[in-house]
Amino acid sequence: LAPGANANAVKELCLAGMFLAARNITEGFEWAKTLIGTEDVDKAVEKGKGQFAGTEIKGKTLGVIGLGAIGVLVANAAESLGMNVIGHDPFLSVKALSNTIDIADSLKDLYPQCDYITIHVPVMDSTKAMINAEAFAQMKDGVVFLNFARDKLVNDTDMLAALESG
């Protein structure tokens, strides 16, 4: 495998994940399916489409955990879309990161500021289940957490509890 070979593809998945969450796209598709066969469908669409407007990502804050090949692409793309971006990587060595992206010294500094958080780190003993109850407790209510890296980075039980609590 070539490191970073799928970096652009993963970047695009992360952006798609943010758009899906921000704009209620999946819910809108499901609602649209219920309109099949509806008389005066144009009126039904006009009346109901507002419930799926969602919110813009412009001006929102994205936290990027891990600023390797993928994290840098995600951070730079999000910034170009008008997002505020905060990155964290204790081993930061990449030169391609936009110089206007803030770097958090610790995850405790990153978590409470972010509307969206995406993670791009390898699975090692030090990163297994690093996204856990303690991490979720520091995040904003309603934060969108994106994991297009590895499943073992997130404690599933803690994630479920966080989702249930908002």
Side-chain angles (χ1 to χ4, degrees):
L1 291 174
N6 66 346
N8 191 66
V10 177
K11 172 201 75 178
E12 290 178 1
L13 285 171
C14 288
L15 294 174
M18 284 190 286
F19 289 128
L20 286 167
R23 291 300 185 162
N24 303 317
I25 294 169
T26 305
E27 295 86 346
F29 280 152
E30 292 304 315
W31 173 74
K33 289 179 190 177
T34 68
L35 299 178
I36 294 172
T38 300
E39 194 173 316
D40 295 325
V41 72
D42 55 333
K43 290 179 184 173
V45 167
E46 281 303 313
K47 184 177 179 182
K49 69 181 181 182
Q51 63 187 319
F52 305 105
T55 185
E56 294 184 359
I57 62 170
K58 182 178 180 181
K60 299 290 190 280
T61 299
L62 171 67
V64 181
I65 302 170
L67 293 166
I70 295 169
V72 165
L73 289 178
V74 172
N76 290 342
E79 184 183 54
S80 71
L81 291 170
M83 296 186 83
N84 303 311
V85 180
I86 304 169
H88 174 75
D89 191 327
F91 307 106
L92 183 62
S93 63
V94 210
K95 308 271 187 274
L97 184 67
S98 168
N99 64 0
T100 57
I101 291 175
D102 291 332
I103 303 298
D105 291 332
S106 72
L107 291 173
K108 290 179 181 183
D109 295 333
L110 181 140
Y111 291 144
Q113 299 183 66
C114 299
D115 304 296
Y116 298 83
I117 297 174
T118 183
I119 188 167
H120 305 282
V121 300
V123 174
M124 304 180 298
D125 288 341
S126 61
T127 61
K128 283 182 184 172
M130 68 182 280
I131 305 302
N132 54 31
E134 181 183 344
F136 290 122
Q138 297 171 56
M139 296 178 193
K140 287 182 179 180
D141 286 347
V143 66
V144 173
F145 184 83
L146 304 159
N147 179 9
F148 289 97
R150 301 286 182 260
D151 66 334
K152 299 209 180 313
L153 300 171
V154 180
N155 178 306
D156 292 338
T157 303
D158 293 352
M159 170 65 89
L160 183 58
L163 288 169
E164 289 172 351
S165 72

